[in-house]
Amino acid sequence: MTTIERNVYASSRFSTRGLPTQMRLPALRDHFGQSIRLAIDAEPGQSVDMEVHQAPGLRRARMLSPLTARVMRPAPMLADGEDSICLMMKTAGHMALEQGRRRGVPRSGDGILLVYREPAVLQLVAASYVAVRVPFAAIATLVGDAGRAAALRISRDSQALSLLRAYVMGMPERIADPRLGRLATSHVYDLIALAIGTSDDARPIAAQRGLRAARLDALTADVIRHPALTLEELALRHGISPRYVQILFERTGTTFSLFALERRLDVARGMLASPRYASWSVTAIAVEAGFGDLSYFNRRFKRRFQTTPSALRMQCLERGQWTAAEQARGEHLEHTLRRADRGAVHRAFDDR
């Protein structure tokens, strides 16, 4: 059994920042050897900071600090039984992987594959990355000859890699819930296989499970960040048809209109309950949240929260003070609205 096949859900942070200089390299070597199953050689005083999230059959690591090192999987280490494939997506710095007769040098945003069953040498210079490690057998069932993918560079322009990158960034929340962890793991397998190049028999299965899940995840994240987007605008932003957007939402038991409405109501409620928007009128908040019809907004708000927008605002004012949760909600909303397309936010919306 490989280290990533254990029935474990865990999140951890590894850092050598607080260690004395002379203890940093030994701690780094121990962490890489025990948890990552790779040997590493680096400058003794170098500070390293990384986060790790693990679910059964999946390990996601993110290098938060620039790392300059020589990382190896020497031939004697192959006897440890670790049979994994690691997809590393470079975010900064220089990275070069030599494995077998292939040498891969990814650009920023590219992915590169390290196959644990073969010796490898990875050179890093001020590099940061996000890595996803999965069992070799899980990919081999979808890819004809997964072993030939050693040191394969996958372009950042690959649709599967782009979706995988966005999908794994939200992975800590998914694997925190064991009910969703295994489903998320399966989707990651599919996306990695599609990025490598699946076999003819497996391609339809991987595309259906992995691509659809990642596409829906990207769509819902976009709606949460930009709650006033229309169906047509959302489809255009993601390069797909409006009907396909509708199909993806319908497969989850909802519709785009209902999902967007719920997010807009959440934004409006948060603004009404936040001291940051105490001087805003209910009408201004409704428009900012994406509603062009005030009476429709009032009806849907009361149906959802069992109170009117004005009543909720009055309750907050009468208390005379704002809770920490409301302060945090206001800061989150302010950040969301700063990122939103203001033109789209102020367009009228009516789902009646």
Side-chain angles (χ1 to χ4, degrees):
M1 175 183 291
T2 69
T3 56
I4 55 175
E5 290 180 304
R6 297 168 183 165
N7 189 28
V8 174
Y9 290 89
S11 296
S12 61
R13 185 80 171 258
F14 172 80
S15 178
T16 63
R17 292 183 187 277
L19 296 177
T21 303
Q22 67 274 17
M23 294 180 62
R24 290 179 176 178
L25 182 56
L28 182 63
R29 284 174 170 164
D30 183 66
H31 177 73
F32 265 70
Q34 295 296 321
S35 300
I36 306 177
R37 298 299 180 92
L38 296 172
I40 186 170
D41 193 14
E43 289 296 322
Q46 186 173 187
S47 178
V48 176
D49 193 10
M50 64 187 300
E51 62 180 16
V52 178
H53 302 278
Q54 181 166 333
L58 175 66
R59 181 187 177 94
R60 179 254 203 194
R62 184 181 179 191
M63 181 60 65
L64 302 173
S65 58
L67 176 63
T68 297
R70 178 182 171 90
V71 181
M72 300 151 287
R73 184 147 173 89
M77 188 176 279
L78 303 184
D80 63 7
E82 185 67 29
D83 195 17
S84 310
I85 288 182
C86 180
L87 174 59
M88 304 180 70
M89 293 167 280
K90 191 182 83 169
T91 55
H94 172 76
M95 178 183 293
L97 174 63
E98 294 183 13
Q99 193 162 31
R101 297 182 177 180
R102 178 178 282 162
R103 184 174 189 269
V105 182
R107 302 166 298 170
S108 181
D110 285 351
I112 196 161
L113 286 155
L114 192 159
V115 178
Y116 270 63
R117 57 174 56 186
E118 295 183 20
V121 176
L122 176 67
Q123 295 283 357
L124 303 172
V125 180
S128 59
Y129 57 85
V130 175
V132 182
R133 184 151 57 99
V134 300
F136 182 92
I139 304 303
T141 59
L142 298 170
V143 178
D145 187 357
R148 297 182 63 183
L152 175 68
R153 182 182 70 84
I154 301 173
S155 171
R156 61 194 177 196
D157 300 321
S158 162
Q159 181 187 49
L161 185 66
S162 296
L163 290 171
L164 175 64
R165 187 185 305 110
Y167 193 77
V168 300
M169 291 308 291
M171 190 167 294
E173 290 75 21
R174 292 188 188 89
I175 66 176
D177 184 346
R179 296 170 299 177
L180 302 178
R182 292 192 181 278
L183 183 61
T185 296
S186 176
H187 292 157
V188 169
Y189 293 168
D190 294 334
L191 288 169
I192 291 176
L194 286 167
I196 296 172
T198 53
S199 64
D200 291 340
D201 291 338
R203 187 175 295 109
I205 299 173
Q208 182 176 5
R209 295 186 312 197
L211 281 179
R212 284 184 179 176
R215 180 83 73 184
L216 179 62
D217 188 71
L219 291 171
T220 55
D222 209 5
V223 174
I224 291 171
R225 289 194 300 268
H226 309 282
L229 283 173
T230 66
L231 174 63
E232 290 73 20
E233 289 167 340
L234 183 65
L236 182 63
R237 287 163 67 94
H238 291 264
I240 56 180
S241 70
R243 180 55 190 150
Y244 188 49
V245 173
Q246 291 174 321
I247 290 172
L248 290 174
F249 278 96
E250 288 167 1
R251 287 180 179 275
T252 67
T254 186
T255 65
F256 165 77
S257 295
L258 287 175
F259 183 84
L261 174 63
E262 292 301 300
R263 301 294 75 74
R264 290 165 184 162
L265 289 171
D266 287 339
V267 168
R269 185 184 186 282
M271 293 177 72
L272 288 164
S274 170
R276 291 175 179 267
Y277 301 95
S279 63
W280 287 41
S281 68
V282 172
T283 300
I285 287 176
V287 172
E288 189 75 6
F291 292 91
D293 185 321
L294 184 60
S295 61
Y296 174 69
F297 166 67
N298 285 328
R299 290 198 307 273
R300 298 307 301 232
F301 191 95
K302 185 174 182 180
R303 184 184 302 176
R304 167 83 182 277
F305 300 114
Q306 304 302 308
T307 187
T308 66
S310 298
L312 177 65
R313 163 67 61 78
M314 186 59 66
Q315 290 171 10
C316 293
L317 291 174
E318 288 176 349
R319 278 185 301 183
Q321 61 181 25
W322 306 90
T323 66
E326 286 160 351
Q327 292 277 7
R329 187 184 299 116
E331 292 173 2
H332 172 73
L333 284 166
E334 189 171 58
H335 175 70
T336 299
L337 292 170
R338 278 202 308 268
R339 296 178 59 183
D341 173 3
R342 291 294 177 146
V345 168
H346 287 284
R347 276 189 283 274
F349 170 79
D350 192 342
D351 267 334
R352 288 169 294 177

